[in-house]
Amino acid sequence: MATNEFPPPVKWLDDRLGIGKIGKKNLRKVFPDHWSFMLGEIALYSFIILLLTGTFLTFWFRPSMAAVEYQGSYSLLKGLHMSEAYASTLDISFDVRGGLLMRQIHHWAAVLFVAAMMVHLLRIFFTGAFRKPRELNWVIGFGMLFLGIIEGFIGYGLPDDLLSGTGLRITQGMIQASPVIGTYLTFFIFGGEFPGDDMVSRFFTVHVLLIPGLILALVTAHLFLVVYHKHTQYPGPGRTNNNVVGYPLMPVYMAKAGGFFFVVFGVTALMGALLQINPVWLYGPYNPAEVTAGSQPDWYMGWLEGSVRLMPGFESHFWGITLSWNLIIPALLIPPAFVTLVALYPFIEGWITGDKREHHLLDRPRNMPTRTGIGAAFITFYGLLWIGGGNDLIATHFNVSLNNVTWFLRFAVFLGPVFAFWAARRIAISLQRSDTERLLHGLETGIIVRLPHGEYIEKHAPISEYEAYELTARDRLLPLDIGPETDENGVRAPRRALNKVRARLSRFYFADAIQKPTLEEIEEARHHLEEHDDSVETPLGTVELDPDQAREVIEH
């Protein structure tokens, strides 16, 4: 006989913690369904894999710079003096059962973690999921990305091999370029002259305790806000700013999430087993007098490397202080400025547009052409700096001059984002025109008919009401109106100059955007289709747009 009673252990907890009420409300919470929402899940599952594999590695890794003589299994380095950190990394790779597999899974998971967060943030940016009330969640997500990159870079330096040591040496040079405080910061981070005796032990503490704890706290806050604000969803029939159309967390999404976690874990394990990454035994231990040829950092640090490589070398001297502009500008000014601009973008866009409404429906990128252009410009700027980080490899692989590659990228890093902004914006506007044409005139059937007065026309079939809903479920893009110069009493409005700048930016932001058709235009187009195309049959059907159903979406 069926019963609704909890099993005894669960009932015991429910009597003391009230988990029944909490679970009944939250486990039935509805989430929308779309493949792009899995990008954030990949980042989360990669982080879990990092925690699991990292715990395994800490059992055998020795975070010490003390010199030892290597007597392990790798014969090519036997008898060589190295740090305990590097020797233990070799032991994990060759002498600990499953150690190399865990090392490579850990490294691939770190790469996947950063990549998934980047693509997830791009999806959020281009669909406008950062708008009110989710600005804080955007900042939290960007903070997780920043911490993830720092965490990956510190972990990359822990083995104390020649490749990672070269990267840390470059980082030390960037830190020392900080005016006045550079030397003090270097001594604080490395515990003395580079590489120092405390570098690995300090990095290890930060890598396994501090940054993972911060990321875990931000992940918790991020998920809490996702549940509190409810998940965004793409426009579609029945979907509004006041509801969520999807499936419940329990049992649908918990089953999906569990299965997807094992898919991500399985793919990462397969990559760790079959694809070699960071073979530290080929580089040897770090020696400040040596450098590896063609050394490259992990891909997510490539843009910072490229920024430094593309900057011409010049410096200034003031009152006994040397300012190395070839490091200050590309390493200490441009990256923080770029990161700050992207992190604050939701607030900048909200100020320009004057939009203070809550948004739970996502935008199609084509419907916000200026934002799409700005995103394309950001990606182009990042990508060109990233390519600059491998200018030497490009020159050698394609047999071209290194100087020519560098000079081309120096100009492209300024001109490329401008061109990308213009091109992406124009493409988005063209797609808007195509959508409007599809909405008003229907589908092209390829059937040519001759009218009684001799004119030839192509017959069109109406699109379905579902597609029409999706094409019209968007806001009208109207520039900000700052009002008159003075009020009714002749008093000049405050901050008038700033508001004029804001109005100009708003006009630029919404310039050339194609407004969605009005209800009258759609009804007129529908009437025209009924006159000429009512007998057309196509594979997509001839379902007509019902004005009564469209009115709610179009007139708001």
Side-chain angles (χ1 to χ4, degrees):
M1 183 176 181
T3 177
N4 292 326
E5 285 291 327
F6 289 128
V10 179
K11 188 176 186 306
W12 187 89
L13 287 174
D14 182 42
D15 292 339
R16 288 154 180 81
L17 301 176
I19 60 174
K21 291 182 179 179
I22 298 174
K24 184 177 181 181
K25 178 181 179 181
N26 292 288
L27 292 179
R28 298 298 296 173
K29 190 173 182 66
V30 174
F31 286 90
D33 194 28
H34 194 269
W35 67 266
S36 65
F37 300 153
M38 293 192 299
L39 296 170
E41 293 184 47
I42 294 175
L44 175 62
Y45 300 152
S46 300
F47 180 63
I48 295 173
I49 296 170
L50 284 169
L51 294 179
L52 296 175
T53 55
T55 301
F56 176 91
L57 295 175
T58 56
F59 293 148
W60 286 276
F61 181 74
R62 293 188 293 275
S64 171
M65 293 290 288
V68 296
E69 182 179 326
Y70 179 67
Q71 295 297 333
S73 300
Y74 190 63
S75 59
L76 295 180
L77 294 177
K78 187 168 292 188
L80 194 66
H81 288 275
M82 59 186 64
S83 68
E84 277 195 297
Y86 185 62
S88 64
T89 303
L90 294 177
D91 290 339
I92 291 173
S93 302
F94 296 108
D95 298 311
V96 175
R97 181 167 296 181
L100 180 58
L101 176 63
M102 285 298 178
R103 268 197 63 235
Q104 299 209 145
I105 292 177
H106 190 73
H107 204 130
W108 278 119
V111 171
L112 186 61
F113 178 53
V114 177
M117 283 195 292
M118 281 191 175
V119 180
H120 179 57
L121 285 170
L122 286 175
R123 196 276 300 174
I124 291 174
F125 179 88
F126 283 110
T127 59
F130 55 78
R131 294 171 296 175
K132 183 181 178 181
R134 297 176 179 83
E135 303 97 331
L136 182 58
N137 228 358
W138 168 268
V139 175
I140 289 174
F142 209 76
M144 284 192 288
L145 175 61
F146 179 76
L147 289 174
I149 291 174
I150 299 299
E151 174 79 342
F153 180 71
I154 291 176
Y156 160 86
L158 285 179
D160 194 36
D161 60 284
L162 185 57
L163 180 60
S164 65
T166 301
L168 289 174
R169 184 66 163 177
I170 296 172
T171 304
Q172 183 244 359
M174 295 178 185
I175 297 172
Q176 279 193 323
S178 303
V180 182
I181 63 172
T183 303
Y184 300 98
L185 283 176
T186 301
F187 273 64
F188 173 75
I189 293 173
F190 296 101
E193 288 283 356
F194 182 84
D197 296 328
D198 301 326
M199 179 190 72
V200 170
S201 59
R202 292 187 178 192
F203 280 20
F204 183 76
T205 302
V206 173
H207 183 73
V208 303
L209 289 178
L210 180 59
I211 296 183
L214 292 175
I215 294 177
L216 191 59
L218 291 178
V219 167
T220 303
H222 178 74
L223 294 178
F224 171 79
L225 289 177
V226 167
V227 173
Y228 177 73
H229 291 143
K230 72 185 180 183
H231 205 292
T232 54
Q233 58 187 343
Y234 286 92
R239 300 173 184 174
T240 69
N241 270 315
N242 300 318
N243 69 355
V244 177
V245 178
Y247 300 100
L249 177 63
M250 181 68 182
V252 178
Y253 270 103
M254 292 191 72
K256 281 188 174 184
F260 192 47
F261 168 75
F262 287 108
V263 170
V264 174
F265 206 151
V267 171
T268 308
L270 191 65
M271 293 169 66
L274 302 180
L275 305 178
Q276 179 176 272
I277 188 170
N278 198 25
V280 295
W281 54 89
L282 298 180
Y283 310 136
Y286 178 64
N287 185 341
E290 299 174 357
V291 62
T292 53
S295 59
Q296 302 288 320
D298 274 338
W299 70 271
Y300 45 82
M301 297 299 296
W303 74 293
L304 182 58
E305 175 93 357
S307 179
V308 174
R309 291 191 185 194
L310 297 183
M311 187 69 189
F314 65 98
E315 58 186 29
S316 304
H317 303 276
F318 297 100
W319 302 293
I321 298 175
T322 299
L323 298 178
S324 300
W325 299 109
N326 56 323
L327 285 175
I328 292 176
I329 293 176
L332 304 179
L333 294 181
I334 291 179
F338 178 71
V339 169
T340 302
L341 178 63
V342 176
L344 296 181
Y345 181 83
F347 306 97
I348 297 173
E349 181 182 293
W351 180 76
I352 291 174
T353 61
D355 187 0
K356 299 185 182 299
R357 298 168 299 169
E358 287 196 3
H359 294 274
H360 302 289
L361 285 179
L362 299 172
D363 291 325
R364 301 174 76 199
R366 66 183 64 181
N367 292 333
M368 297 297 289
T370 301
R371 182 201 295 153
T372 301
I374 292 172
F378 283 160
I379 293 173
T380 304
F381 178 74
Y382 176 91
L384 288 169
L385 291 182
W386 186 79
I387 293 173
N391 59 351
D392 55 339
L393 298 180
I394 293 174
T396 55
H397 280 68
F398 294 97
N399 196 26
V400 295
S401 168
L402 175 61
N403 288 334
N404 291 342
V405 173
T406 301
W407 275 104
F408 170 79
L409 290 173
R410 283 173 178 172
F411 285 99
V413 78
F414 292 102
L415 301 178
V418 176
F419 175 78
F421 170 82
W422 174 82
R425 191 165 177 268
R426 297 313 306 175
I427 291 172
I429 292 173
S430 298
L431 291 173
Q432 281 187 315
R433 289 197 178 100
S434 175
D435 286 346
T436 301
E437 182 74 14
R438 190 180 185 88
L439 182 64
L440 294 180
H441 303 293
L443 303 170
E444 296 179 355
T445 64
I447 301 174
I448 307 299
V449 297
R450 184 179 181 182
L451 299 181
H453 60 275
E455 179 186 1
Y456 288 92
I457 64 170
E458 180 182 15
K459 304 187 77 173
H460 288 70
I463 62 176
S464 70
E465 61 182 88
Y466 299 103
E467 185 178 0
Y469 191 104
E470 291 180 357
L471 295 179
T472 54
R474 61 187 178 97
D475 299 325
R476 297 189 181 278
L477 307 179
L478 301 177
L480 181 67
D481 183 11
I482 61 174
E485 290 272 354
T486 59
D487 61 15
E488 62 275 7
N489 298 319
V491 179
R492 182 179 173 84
R495 298 187 295 277
R496 189 66 186 178
L498 181 62
N499 286 333
K500 285 184 177 180
V501 173
R502 185 183 179 190
R504 291 192 188 98
L505 290 173
S506 179
R507 286 194 295 271
F508 168 77
Y509 192 88
F510 295 121
D512 301 327
I514 307 301
Q515 301 292 349
K516 67 179 181 181
T518 62
L519 180 61
E520 290 73 21
E521 291 173 331
I522 293 180
E523 289 178 337
E524 181 181 350
R526 174 176 172 272
H527 179 69
H528 180 76
L529 285 173
E530 287 177 346
E531 288 182 349
H532 297 288
D533 297 311
D534 52 3
S535 62
V536 174
E537 295 293 336
T538 70
L540 298 177
T542 56
V543 182
E544 299 174 357
L545 174 65
D546 187 346
D548 294 331
Q549 295 177 339
R551 187 181 302 274
E552 179 184 353
V553 178
I554 298 170
E555 290 189 341
H556 64 78

